[in-house]
Amino acid sequence: MIYLDNNATTRLDDRVLNTMLPYFTENYANAGSAHLAALTVSEAVANAAWQTANLIGAKEEEIIFTSGATEAINLAIKGLANQYRKHIVTIVTEHKAVLNTCEFMESIGFEVTYLQVGSDGVLDLNVLNESITDKTLIVIVMIINNETGITQNIEAISELAHAKNALFMCDATQAIGKIPVDVEKLKIDLLPLSAHKFYGPKGVGALYISAKAKLKLLPQLHGGEQQRKLRSGTLNVPGIIGLGKASEIAVNELESDQKRITKLRDKLENGLLNFEGSFVNGNTENRIYNTTNICFPGVVSETLILALQDISVSNGASCSAVTSKPSHVLKAMGLSDDDALSSIRFSLGRFTTETEIDLAIERILDLAKKLRV
């Protein structure tokens, strides 16, 4: 299998797996218990919190572990339901975890402004500034789009939000572990992340919560009041240990990963653009180094994806790798239904090889030419 769908999920790094294993079979105590075995586990969890916080320039007490980014997003947004300000500003190209949660907030009386992006996928900061009012509770904009890899000017966006006393949440699920992210420098109040997007295990993530945001948040899960009373439930210790180790590795290997993967992504993209009429969707300057989203006019992406068999790619968000509906992200960028349905996302990772890229280019070009309508 040639796996080019790393924005959907990544392979678990062997180093992460080996660090996790003892917490399944040896150090399996409940971190919330009072005996010595539990205290040993609790210390390991605290270390994982430090590792995760260190990756994003935060403090360990600002980290709440969750089941993944989706839960973190729900806690961050729904946790603000009791605030007197009832206005949310976000963009139409956000992940469905944000958009659907915002729709829920509308159903309980909030007003949500969904801002459009340009054909390059980038948000107009002037439009954003005009949309934030004295009633705006929170501005929500992701760092990196999961489908196109397009990046937004997060530092400028957070500045605009804070200038009008609004909170700023940044979905960093596709950024963490790939590029440097510093919540202090970027002045982010709430930041969800997920371990399986950067070579950690599935089923675990975290929410960074600034001191300002913590004062406003209500828990969404009630029970034993674990994790500073913001998220109850027995901790997923092996998963948390895995997230911590993945964070530690990312700190040390961000630069080397970026250099190697950038070359492979560019080689793949340049090769696939030999298909007549093909083009890259979105801004090729402001994007993450591992992602390219390419339109193959006249080729139904769903058909091509299935024909590729042992080459894994997708034509939408990671939660719907093969779908007959056009991507809401590409539609928002002005693509026609036909072009959106002819587009494929390729996302490379730490374990992608040059040999795989060479084979993928050959196979994809050959099949695309045969399948062209």
Side-chain angles (χ1 to χ4, degrees):
M1 180 179 71
I2 297 174
Y3 188 78
L4 300 176
D5 197 22
N6 285 272
N7 285 7
T9 195
T10 55
R11 177 189 140 187
L12 187 68
D13 192 298
D14 290 342
R15 293 168 289 181
V16 174
L17 175 61
N18 290 334
T19 304
M20 293 171 63
L21 287 176
Y23 294 89
F24 287 107
T25 58
E26 298 169 23
N27 303 323
Y28 54 83
N30 188 325
S33 297
H35 47 72
L36 181 59
L39 293 175
T40 301
V41 172
S42 181
E43 287 181 3
V45 168
N47 182 60
W50 180 87
Q51 291 170 315
T52 305
N54 184 54
L55 178 60
I56 61 173
K59 303 178 183 68
E60 63 180 86
E61 61 267 23
E62 297 171 323
I63 299 296
I64 297 293
F65 292 114
T66 66
S67 62
T70 296
E71 185 196 335
I73 287 166
N74 275 262
L75 171 57
I77 300 174
K78 292 178 181 177
L80 298 169
N82 68 332
Q83 297 299 304
Y84 71 92
R85 291 190 179 197
K86 300 291 183 182
H87 181 226
I88 297 171
V89 177
T90 189
I91 60 176
V92 294
T93 52
E94 287 291 304
H95 191 279
K96 288 293 186 179
V98 167
L99 296 178
N100 290 348
T101 306
C102 285
E103 288 176 10
F104 167 79
M105 298 298 281
E106 288 182 284
S107 75
I108 62 171
F110 276 70
E111 177 190 356
V112 181
T113 299
Y114 299 94
L115 300 179
Q116 298 293 324
V117 296
S119 59
D120 60 356
V122 179
L123 174 65
D124 186 325
L125 296 180
N126 292 321
V127 173
L128 172 64
N129 190 43
E130 292 170 2
S131 302
I132 306 172
T133 72
D134 57 1
K135 296 180 180 179
T136 303
L137 171 62
I138 188 169
V139 174
I140 304 170
V141 179
M142 64 192 346
I143 299 183
I144 294 169
N145 186 272
N146 51 299
E147 294 191 31
T148 61
I150 299 302
T151 59
Q152 304 291 343
N153 188 342
I154 296 303
E155 196 164 1
I157 293 170
S158 66
E159 185 175 337
L160 292 176
H162 292 142
K164 297 185 181 179
N165 295 315
L167 294 171
F168 176 54
M169 184 185 109
C170 185
D171 177 4
T173 308
Q174 293 294 340
I176 299 301
K178 299 175 186 174
I179 62 173
V181 175
D182 188 315
V183 292
E184 290 290 334
K185 179 182 178 182
L186 297 174
K187 297 180 174 59
I188 296 170
D189 296 302
L190 294 157
L191 182 145
L193 60 90
S194 195
H196 76 102
K197 301 294 187 180
F198 61 107
Y199 318 103
K202 296 175 181 65
V204 64
L207 177 65
Y208 158 77
I209 308 172
S210 70
K212 179 182 177 182
K214 184 181 178 182
L215 293 173
K216 301 178 185 293
L217 279 188
L218 290 175
Q220 298 303 294
L221 294 175
H222 297 88
E225 298 188 335
Q226 292 93 335
Q227 299 203 74
R228 301 172 188 87
K229 300 184 179 181
L230 278 174
R231 201 267 190 180
S232 294
T234 300
L235 295 179
N236 171 13
V237 173
I240 289 168
I241 298 302
L243 170 56
K245 185 62 177 180
S247 298
E248 178 188 84
I249 293 169
V251 168
N252 296 325
E253 299 184 6
L254 277 178
E255 188 175 342
S256 59
D257 277 352
Q258 179 169 351
K259 287 180 180 178
R260 194 183 67 83
I261 296 171
T262 299
K263 292 179 182 178
L264 294 179
R265 191 278 310 273
D266 290 347
K267 182 173 187 177
L268 175 67
E269 183 174 274
N270 292 332
L272 295 180
L273 289 177
N274 286 316
F275 183 82
E276 184 181 356
S278 61
F279 57 89
V280 176
N281 293 314
N283 191 311
T284 57
E285 297 298 322
N286 298 321
R287 60 173 174 164
I288 188 73
Y289 58 84
N290 80 312
T291 305
T292 182
N293 192 304
I294 299 177
C295 179
F296 301 90
V299 180
V300 178
S301 59
E302 181 177 348
T303 305
L304 178 55
I305 290 169
L306 294 174
L308 286 170
Q309 296 183 340
D310 57 354
I311 299 179
S312 300
V313 295
S314 68
N315 61 349
S318 57
C319 47
S320 53
V322 178
T323 176
S324 57
K325 295 174 63 178
S327 157
H328 76 281
V329 172
L330 298 183
K331 288 288 291 178
M333 291 164 58
L335 269 72
S336 66
D337 283 357
D338 286 344
D339 281 348
L341 290 170
S342 296
S343 296
I344 291 181
R345 177 188 70 185
F346 303 90
S347 47
L348 288 61
R350 181 177 291 162
F351 303 107
T352 306
T353 67
E354 188 167 9
T355 299
E356 290 176 332
I357 294 300
D358 291 335
L359 289 170
I361 292 170
E362 182 180 351
R363 283 279 308 284
I364 293 166
L365 288 178
D366 180 57
L367 279 171
K369 289 172 184 176
K370 292 177 180 177
L371 294 171
R372 189 167 207 164
V373 178

